Amino acid sequence: MGKLYVIGIGPGGLDQMSIKAKEVLEKVQVVVGYIKYIDMVKPLIRDKEIYSNGMKGEEARCIEALKLSEDKDVAVISTGDSGIYGMAGLILELKENNHDVEVIPGITASSAAGSVLGAPLMHDNCNISLSDLMTDYELIKKRIKLAAEGDFIISLYNPKSKGRPDYLKGAIEIIKEFRDDSTPIGIVKNALRDGQEAYLTTIGEFTDEKVDMMSIVIIGNSQSYIKDGFFITPRGYKLEQKK
Amino acid sequence: MGKLYVIGIGPGGLDQMSIKAKEVLEKVQVVVGYIKYIDMVKPLIRDKEIYSNGMKGEEARCIEALKLSEDKDVAVISTGDSGIYGMAGLILELKENNHDVEVIPGITASSAAGSVLGAPLMHDNCNISLSDLMTDYELIKKRIKLAAEGDFIISLYNPKSKGRPDYLKGAIEIIKEFRDDSTPIGIVKNALRDGQEAYLTTIGEFTDEKVDMMSIVIIGNSQSYIKDGFFITPRGYKLEQKK
């Protein structure tokens, strides 16, 4: 009987993975994942059995991983944190009594993007995916409105794809009703991995042409500001020293 | 001229740190942090200069770190992600033009706690701190209500302290208005570090006696459920295979 590890590899750069995630990846016999994620960890898994398939093959991939783990030690990999829009949920939904599963977390994409921009996530914050593949668009819009009304910092995952070119603009329009035009927005593409690009703008100046599926978009709360090229949300310290 | 790294060491166990965070910690000359966090990384920094002080000494600590970084390479450490309720914001607020600062993210406490419980954070989720040291209690309650109304999974940081024994019970009362009694709640104390304890209950059965300041409390969304001792929030896949 083997064991199944559901691993969040973090943003993608090998040095952003946890030490535990790396140790487990090096130890298992089989690695299962979406082909692009397999490529990201290639240097660590050259001698391993690989099971990979394309996007939208998640259920088949998880069933195969569970089956393989009956005889071997297997790692299923997700980017970011395996527990936030990753594979941990589906694995546990499909798991049967005879399977031994451990979830190994990673640095989620909003944390990675935040670190590139400065410190945008320093106060109460939320993660919302704009993908409507499995979530009704009305519910997505409702969540954006309530998060904006609650003055949360908002990180948008899967912000834009060909099938829904206008959702991101729509989201920003909703948030605009609750924020000043000067509120910072950060866009980070491929945060902390090859091809990283970062842009800092404001709600008033926002356009979406730099954004794609590999981006995270972070919208500040009412206290957020930009200083020396950094996106900062104050935690709320009453500073003795003048800013 | 030295450089200042603001490092998120993750939940606390040394193997949950990113490889980059470990490399930088081993490389710098000075490490600055709250004494309990310094203790967590002690094996990595035995030969280093340490600057430490107690809780609530954050501003003095950051000013000292920035000053020290004018001559030496310095790491300021936070647990979890340095950018989520950590030290990154205060450092950037206090930074002057001559300082060179890099933020290195870590696994935030909700991701760590989530991995211990199963996969509670699989859909849109938010982090809310119940600490009222720097946030008005009315705003905290407003955010809890809106997050509950939006059917977000809610992770509560700093859920309980002696000075505010009833905030957590109050938060659960607010959330209860929007969720069934069967909604899972997970409590994880010292997630992924020495002294870890985890409890799974429901909104209807919830009591707060297991919760302290070192805990994270996660409340599911309307779709969350418990299976074989795991707290699962479905991502929304329409599964071919029967559960």
Side-chain angles (χ1 to χ4, degrees), chain A residues 81 85 92 111 124 143 227, chain B residues 81 85 92 111 124 227:
Chain A
D81 181 9
Y85 310 120
L92 291 176
S111 282
D124 302 331
R143 284 184 178 153
K227 173 190 153 189
Chain B
D81 181 8
Y85 311 119
L92 291 175
S111 282
D124 302 330
K227 173 190 153 189

Side-chain angles (χ1 to χ4, degrees), chain A residues 92-113:
Chain A
L92 291 176
E93 286 191 77
L94 294 165
K95 172 188 179 297
E96 289 170 31
N97 279 330
N98 58 333
H99 297 123
D100 183 10
V101 175
E102 181 177 343
V103 179
I104 297 179
I107 294 170
T108 189
S110 53
S111 282

Side-chain angles (χ1 to χ4, degrees), chain A residues 218-238:
Chain A
I218 301 180
I219 302 101
N221 74 11
S222 61
Q223 307 303 306
S224 304
Y225 62 97
I226 295 172
K227 173 190 153 189
D228 298 344
F230 288 105
F231 180 164
I232 301 172
T233 301
R235 179 77 180 89
Y237 294 99
K238 304 270 176 286

Side-chain angles (χ1 to χ4, degrees), chain A residues 185-198:
Chain A
I185 296 185
I187 300 163
V188 188
K189 189 169 161 175
N190 293 315
L192 302 181
R193 64 179 173 236
D194 285 347
Q196 176 179 302
E197 295 174 32

